[in-house]
């Protein structure tokens, strides 16, 4: 049921800081989600590769995440 919740949550979201849902593929008992390609990779990988971010970089990424969460929260389908 978790994948269905993810699909429902991503459906219709359109924000620069949220990966868009492209499609879902039913594979027997499993369902896969297909998302747009994130050319920059994941923030976790950036931090793991570079170590600590500067305060300015951390503030920049935190703001992007906060804007995405705010948009998703305000767009939530209950």
């Amino acid at each position: 049921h978790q994948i269905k919740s993810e699909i429902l949550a991503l459906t219709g979201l359109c924000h620069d800081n949220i990966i868009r849902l492209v499609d879902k593929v039913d594979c027997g008992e499993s369902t896969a989600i297909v998302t747009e390609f994130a050319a920059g990779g994941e923030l976790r990988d950036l931090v793991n590769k570079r170590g600590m971010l500067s305060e300015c970089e951390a503030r920049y990424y935190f703001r992007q995440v906060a804007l995405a969460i705010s948009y998703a929260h305000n767009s939530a389908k209950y």
Side-chain angles (χ1 to χ4, degrees):
H1 289 36
Q2 185 175 359
I3 193 76
K4 290 180 183 180
S5 296
E6 287 290 321
I7 291 168
L8 182 61
L10 287 173
T11 299
L13 292 183
C14 184
H15 189 274
D16 288 342
N17 298 328
I18 299 175
I19 300 277
R20 286 174 188 78
L21 176 67
V22 174
D23 199 2
K24 70 177 181 74
V25 180
D26 292 316
C27 309
E29 294 183 17
S30 299
T31 301
I33 58 174
V34 181
T35 62
E36 69 180 333
F37 177 68
E42 295 186 29
L43 179 58
R44 175 188 60 206
D45 295 336
L46 174 71
V47 172
N48 285 340
K49 179 180 176 184
R50 292 184 41 207
M52 289 189 56
L53 301 175
S54 71
E55 182 179 338
C56 183
E57 290 171 312
R59 190 179 305 118
Y60 171 78
Y61 289 119
F62 181 83
R63 185 172 191 282
Q64 287 186 326
V65 170
L67 289 171
I69 291 170
S70 176
Y71 172 82
H73 176 75
N74 291 325
S75 300
K77 299 171 185 145
Y78 296 100

